[in-house]
Amino acid sequence: MTGAGISAESGIPTFRGTDGLWRTFSATDLATPEAFARDPGLVWQWYRWRQGIIGRAQPNAGHVALAHLQTRVSGFALVTQNVDGLHQRAGSTHVIELHGNIWRARCARGCDLVRDMAGTEPGSGPSGDEDTLPVCSCGSLMRPDVVWFGESLDGDCLDHAFKAAQDCDVFLAAGTSALVYPAAGLPLVAGRAGALVVEVNVDDTPLTPHAGLVLRGKAAELLPALESRL
Ligand code: BV8
Ligand code: ZN
């Protein structure tokens, strides 16, 4: 399972500390249905800003190492909290995106329309379109196809993730602060089921005491080293 820390070395801001701030707003403020109801333009500006950064970013050696591991280890499952799509751009497939993907928009009213927004990031198209808010064919606004705080995760995604955590022999938690639930519960489920929990992080987290192996350092350095020794 990965978090924002694996994309930090690709230049993507994490959610902690100053990184987690956009203008004067904290991510946990903006990533809520209440914020969207209050000011959809502001929330879309934040997501467009992130799309701009992610669109110019490249997967790093940490993403690539996990894509390689997937081809070499049977029963490898990749669960991410990241919405940036960098795992897929590094070659990973069947990525379980617990919190959705920033390159999709869906109808805010709930009709099933989902629209691919790849290639529409700021600076990518004719000017002006990035300021208009995406509208669904039913006339409703569209919203980023991500999971906001206070919203439930997709049931299938969660089932796949919990099953993989239950069945794994090794659970690798890379670049996550292990603070946001239910994602942060996954390594604990794995540990309780007898798996070796390995934490890759530059810092301590609430998961550290539960990890059987702690690799302190940068994901883009440690994950390739780990993969090359397997
Ligand atoms: C829900 C998508 C049902 C949007 C995101 C139980 C206990 C307490 C609270 C709750 C609970 N259950 C539910 C909650 C409420 C809430 C929650 O967990 N709140 C937290 C803040 C306490 N959870 C929810 O609301 C979830 N929904 O539970 O629904 C329900 C509903 C209502 C009430 C009860 C139940 C939905 C959560 C999903 C929210 N959406 N993202 C978007 O991205 O715009 S969460 C978002 O923040 C990310 O996806 C990610 O999950 C999280 C950030 O965490 P990380 O990815 O770990 O990143 P972070 O910046 O925090 O840390 C980076 C780490 O990397 C650090 O440790 C750092 O040291 C390390 N690092 C940095 N650089 C490197 C590195 N490591 C290695 N190498 C490096 N180079
Ligand atoms: Zn609609």
Side-chain angles (χ1 to χ4, degrees), residues 12-90:
I12 315 279
T14 67
F15 285 71
R16 298 291 97 192
T18 52
D19 256 16
L21 279 181
W22 175 71
R23 298 189 189 161
T24 57
F25 305 94
S26 79
T28 32
D29 295 343
L30 286 170
T32 62
E34 295 78 20
F36 189 76
R38 206 172 32 245
D39 188 344
L42 179 72
V43 171
W44 265 117
Q45 276 180 39
W46 181 50
Y47 280 95
R48 303 292 279 163
W49 173 74
R50 292 169 66 188
Q51 285 178 339
I53 293 173
I54 295 166
R56 290 188 295 275
Q58 295 302 324
N60 62 57
H63 297 106
V64 173
L66 293 178
H68 286 170
L69 268 181
Q70 182 174 31
T71 62
R72 300 182 50 207
V73 176
S74 64
F76 179 94
L78 179 54
V79 176
T80 188
Q81 298 168 72
N82 301 342
V83 298
D84 56 31
L86 289 182
H87 284 301
Q88 292 90 330
R89 285 172 55 194

